[in-house]
Every structure is written in structure tokens, then in C-alpha cells.
Amino acid sequence: MKKLIFILGAVLTFNCHAQWQHIYNHYGVSVSCFATDSNNFFIGTGSIGILFTSDNGASWDTLNNGLPYNYGIYGIVVNGNNVFAGTFQDGVYMSSNNGNSWNAVNTGLTNLYINTITMIDTYLFAGTWGSGVFISSNSGNTWSTSNTGLTSSNIGTFATSGSNIFAGTSGGIFLSSNNGGNWSAVNTGLTSLHIRDIAVNGNDIFAATDSGVFLSSNNGSSWSAVNTGLPNISVATLYISGNYILAGTNGGGVFISMDNGSNWTDWNSGLSSMYIYAFAIIDGDIFAGASAGGGIWKRPLSELTGIDEKINNESSIEIYPNPAINYIILKCQPKSAIDIFNVQGQLVKTLVANYSKTNINISEFSKGIYIIKVKTEKGVEIKKFVKE
């Protein structure tokens, strides 16, 4: 592995030292959720309440004044000056002073086991484990049930797409188009109905399940599995940043896709195969929160997949077929020097293109995304290709 910086036609960086750094593991903390607001970063834990940092993890505070003693926090949402926390068995708490003190806001809640919480427009949604969905339109002062059409009362996650709200449950995915007034099941194609997380990327909706990741491009009407490269384990959380999708797994660490979920590659350098339950990006860094006492890990966003890339729109090289299975054909200037790297930045093949078309055997490559660097007398150009 080596570090490369190219400037001409493309900019590409591989960092041989790029890996996850373990930045917090006091008392073997288990992380359940993240929430960010500008440079303020709230971390919900399973045992020590809420952690807080305003300097990107250089220093940490606990913000538990007024919170119940058991300190299990399963959901946090920031809305202006208010911060809401969903607790393990004591309902919802609100802070109006950036987490320095908390007060219970549970009037109308008949189940205090809050598994997830989110804010949609002016509505606060709380997902319980056992009693479905509760909604508040007055910052948590009062709550009412919102379960019409729900056939599962165990709520694990919420996500929004335009005016639509998706609820992930232990019995599938439900859709509401009227702020929770009623729900409809949207599970066609799902082979696992235990929904761990939902993430939205434009018109595409991704669901993390006990059977991997599923994709819907028609508002949940139908789903298809997108698991190539993922281990056969449960996916706990999903996070989308630009063209990249991160998947946190139950015991397999972190995986990344750069092609809308079609292919996945592990991104675990420096990170043990842990139970990853949360991701966040703040101040140029990406954070991963681990359950089972794994603590908090950090990595610069610039190292996402090991690649910082600006493609030259006037590229003179071509690769086809792409995706490919056994070979690719590279069209480039004769006598070009060719290097091929995986997404970890490791050099996997090198050769010289003696002709304008070069057939390159990739049959022994692992499935995933690769970077090809073509060096000519005019400079360097970079392309991506996918090995299926």
C-alpha cells in the first residue's frame, strides 16, 4: 500500500494510514444513537446517559442533569433550541438549554419505552416498543397515539421522503402520507420484516433488516435485496453521504457502497468487527457508534473509501464493460502505465498498455469497486470500475 496524490485530469488520494480511530470507550460505553446541530454533538448511550462534545471529540461531557438514573437513551432529536431524548423506560425528556438540564414531557404517553424519536415539520414522533407511535404537536407537552393501520406495535425507526413518513417496525415498513393520520404496510419484496433502520437518498429508499439491505425506488411499493458483498448478518443502521452509503452491521463492522447499494465493500481498517449502531458526520469527520461496549470511533471524511476524487469531464480513456465480471477493455494512449487499486488504497495490479485497446483480466479480483490510474506523457487520469 502507498500514498498517492495525483493532480492533472483528476485528483485522487490514497492514505496508507487511513483507518478508524477509537476515541471514546469510557466504562465500555455502548452507543445507541447520534444527533448533531452545527458543531454540537449529542451521543445517546445504553448505560451512561448522554455524552456531548463541541470540539469534535477532543473533550467530552455527560449531560444527565434531570435524566432518570438508568441512563438508557435510545433516541435524540435537536429542534432549534430544544433537544428531545427518548429513554429506555422513562419516556421523553426535553432540554431547552442545550442539554444542561432535562425535564420529563410524558403527558399522554401510555408506554414509556421509547425506541426512537424524530421531528417532522412541527410534529414530534415517538416510536415505542409495544404501543406503536405517539405524536406531539406542542413540543412534547401532550401526546396522542397514531396507530391507525399499524399492525406492529414495536417501532424501531422513522424516515421521511418528501411528505411521506416511513415507520420501520418488527413487523415490516409502514407508510403515512398525512403526518401519521393513518398508516399502510409497504412490504412487497421484503424477506425480513424486522426493520432496523431506513435511509432516504432522493427517490431511493433503503431498509436495513436482519436479512441485509433492501432498496425501493417506488416509494415502498416494492423492494429488492441489494446485498452483493455484504456478509450474511443483520444490518443495524444506514447512513448516506453524497454518493456513498454506509452500513453498520451486527458483528461485521462497517461496509460501504459507492453505486447505490449494488455492491458493498468492508471499510473496517482499524475497526474490529463490531456492532455498529450509529453514524454521524460533523466538522469534517465521520463517527461510528458501537454497541456491546464498543464505544465511539472516528475517521476523517476526506478518507471516505480512501478516495478524494474530481473527475476530468474531458477524459480520453474509456473502460468497458462496466460493471465487469472477468475482464475489462481499457482504451487509452499506447505505452501508458496502468495501476489498479481497491477502495482500501492497495495496489492490486500494474501493467503497461502497449496498444490503444488493452484487455485486462480481473477474474481473480474480489467483487467490489476499483480505481484505475492511467499515466501517460500528458499526465494522469483516473476512472472507477465495478467487479461483479
Side-chain angles (χ1 to χ4, degrees):
M1 194 184 300
K2 56 184 178 180
K3 183 175 180 180
L4 302 170
I5 300 178
F6 307 128
I7 304 176
L8 185 59
V11 176
L12 176 67
T13 303
F14 292 104
N15 189 340
C16 62
H17 300 295
Q19 63 178 9
W20 293 96
Q21 302 295 323
H22 204 183
I23 62 170
Y24 191 96
N25 199 34
H26 192 50
Y27 297 123
V29 65
S30 292
V31 173
S32 54
C33 59
F34 288 151
T36 62
D37 177 23
S38 184
N39 288 327
N40 295 323
F41 189 11
F42 299 87
I43 299 96
T45 76
S47 57
I48 61 170
I50 295 177
L51 289 171
F52 174 82
T53 179
S54 59
D55 54 14
N56 212 32
S59 60
W60 301 88
D61 294 305
T62 53
L63 301 178
N64 295 327
N65 183 23
L67 287 177
Y69 179 73
N70 65 65
Y71 286 164
I73 308 297
Y74 281 9
I76 303 174
V77 63
V78 181
N79 181 43
N81 294 324
N82 295 328
V83 185
F84 298 89
T87 71
F88 171 68
Q89 58 186 14
D90 292 280
V92 178
Y93 282 71
M94 184 186 78
S95 173
S96 57
N97 55 11
N98 213 38
N100 288 303
S101 61
W102 300 86
N103 294 291
V105 284
N106 291 328
T107 301
L109 283 175
T110 58
N111 185 333
L112 300 184
Y113 189 161
I114 310 299
N115 206 44
T116 183
I117 189 167
T118 193
M119 193 84 183
I120 303 167
D121 294 328
T122 59
Y123 296 92
L124 190 63
F125 285 71
T128 69
W129 201 252
S131 298
V133 177
F134 288 79
I135 297 179
S136 174
S137 59
N138 54 13
S139 297
N141 288 321
T142 58
W143 297 86
S144 59
T145 57
S146 170
N147 292 329
T148 302
L150 284 177
T151 58
S152 175
S153 59
N154 299 325
I155 312 299
T157 187
F158 293 115
T160 61
S161 177
S163 60
N164 296 315
I165 307 164
F166 294 88
T169 77
S170 65
I173 298 175
F174 293 81
L175 167 65
S176 176
S177 299
N178 57 3
N179 288 318
N182 60 275
W183 303 86
S184 301
V186 285
N187 295 320
T188 301
L190 291 174
T191 60
S192 172
L193 296 184
H194 192 166
I195 309 303
R196 302 283 187 167
D197 200 10
I198 302 173
V200 177
N201 188 23
N203 294 322
D204 293 327
I205 303 163
F206 294 86
T209 78
D210 284 348
S211 297
V213 178
F214 288 79
L215 166 65
S216 175
S217 299
N218 54 11
N219 215 36
S221 295
S222 61
W223 299 84
S224 57
V226 284
N227 291 322
T228 301
L230 283 175
N232 186 26
I233 56 178
S234 173
V235 176
T237 189
L238 296 168
Y239 189 91
I240 297 173
S241 175
N243 295 323
Y244 306 121
I245 306 173
L246 295 172
T249 68
N250 281 323
V254 178
F255 285 75
I256 187 168
S257 174
M258 293 189 289
D259 55 6
N260 214 43
S262 296
N263 296 274
W264 298 87
T265 302
D266 74 86
W267 199 45
N268 288 326
S269 180
L271 176 70
S272 302
S273 295
M274 289 190 174
Y275 293 74
I276 304 300
Y277 275 25
F279 292 111
I281 291 176
I282 186 169
D283 197 25
D285 289 304
I286 184 163
F287 293 78
S291 185
I296 303 170
W297 301 72
K298 184 174 80 168
R299 191 169 185 173
L301 182 60
S302 61
E303 294 174 2
L304 191 61
T305 73
I307 303 163
D308 292 330
E309 184 178 17
K310 295 181 181 178
I311 298 295
N312 180 2
N313 293 326
E314 300 179 355
S315 175
S316 61
I317 64 176
E318 296 181 32
I319 301 173
Y320 59 90
N322 189 11
I325 299 175
N326 294 316
Y327 69 90
I328 57 171
I329 294 175
L330 173 66
K331 290 180 65 176
C332 65
Q333 181 180 333
K335 305 300 182 182
S336 297
I338 312 299
D339 288 329
I340 301 176
F341 300 85
N342 62 21
V343 293
Q344 283 78 37
Q346 296 167 318
L347 180 66
V348 296
K349 193 177 187 72
T350 185
L351 66 150
V352 174
N354 291 317
Y355 306 99
S356 59
K357 289 184 179 181
T358 302
N359 190 318
I360 302 175
N361 186 348
I362 61 169
S363 61
E364 295 184 357
F365 286 16
S366 300
K367 293 180 179 180
I369 297 170
Y370 292 84
I371 310 299
I372 189 164
K373 180 193 76 162
V374 180
K375 184 177 181 180
T376 72
E377 60 185 17
K378 295 182 179 180
V380 172
E381 292 192 55
I382 307 297
K383 288 282 189 180
K384 295 179 185 177
F385 70 89
V386 176
K387 167 62 164 55
E388 292 187 331

